Amino acid sequence: MDSIQLTGIRSYGYTGYLAEEQVLGQWFEVDVTLWLDLSVAGSSDRITDTIDYRSIISNVQQLIKTSKFALVEKLATEIAKSILDVSGVAQVKVCLSKPAAPIPDFGGKITIELTRSKD
């Protein structure tokens, strides 16, 4: 199966377990891998034979901006579901990171990675 990788999608959102996270918000970073058949587009050289990844990026950013979930696991799941709704995508991997998680004395980032397939 072929894949398209979209990395470094950033957006400001309001998902988080702490009340402050849902009021003040924070930055999120997302990488997605889409598995699909790219053979037709590879032969035809027509954009209509592949997916418009600009719309995938925009959709991910919009979900981050407008969602208010307690858990990043829920946000990552909703991102995966929305991408699987795109025609032709058979499987998706979502890596959702909080680069500045509000955890005392922790300078790293939290990343949720999940892979989902169409039923």
Side-chain angles (χ1 to χ4, degrees), residues 12-50:
Y12 201 83
Y14 299 90
T15 290
Y17 180 72
L18 301 174
E20 310 88 74
E21 293 178 284
Q22 293 196 5
V23 173
L24 300 174
Q26 62 196 306
W27 285 101
F28 291 89
E29 296 176 355
V30 179
D31 298 334
V32 296
T33 302
L34 318 170
W35 281 273
L36 64 164
D37 183 0
L38 298 174
S39 62
V40 174
S43 296
S44 72
D45 197 28
R46 291 187 315 234
I47 193 143
T48 55
D49 291 331
T50 190

Side-chain angles (χ1 to χ4, degrees), residues 3 9 19 26 38 44 48 60 85-86 100-101 103 107:
S3 69
I9 302 169
Q26 62 196 306
L38 298 174
S44 72
T48 55
V60 169
D85 286 341
V86 175
I103 300 171

Side-chain angles (χ1 to χ4, degrees), residues 33-85:
T33 302
L34 318 170
W35 281 273
L36 64 164
D37 183 0
L38 298 174
S39 62
V40 174
S43 296
S44 72
D45 197 28
R46 291 187 315 234
I47 193 143
T48 55
D49 291 331
T50 190
I51 63 166
D52 182 353
Y53 24 89
R54 296 170 300 175
S55 67
I56 302 285
I57 293 166
S58 177
N59 182 53
V60 169
Q61 290 172 325
Q62 191 63 26
L63 276 169
I64 293 169
K65 289 176 188 176
T66 61
S67 298
K68 276 196 174 185
F69 301 119
L71 301 177
V72 289
E73 291 87 343
K74 175 68 172 171
L75 179 56
T77 297
E78 292 303 313
I79 290 170
K81 284 181 185 178
S82 72
I83 292 171
L84 285 174
D85 286 341

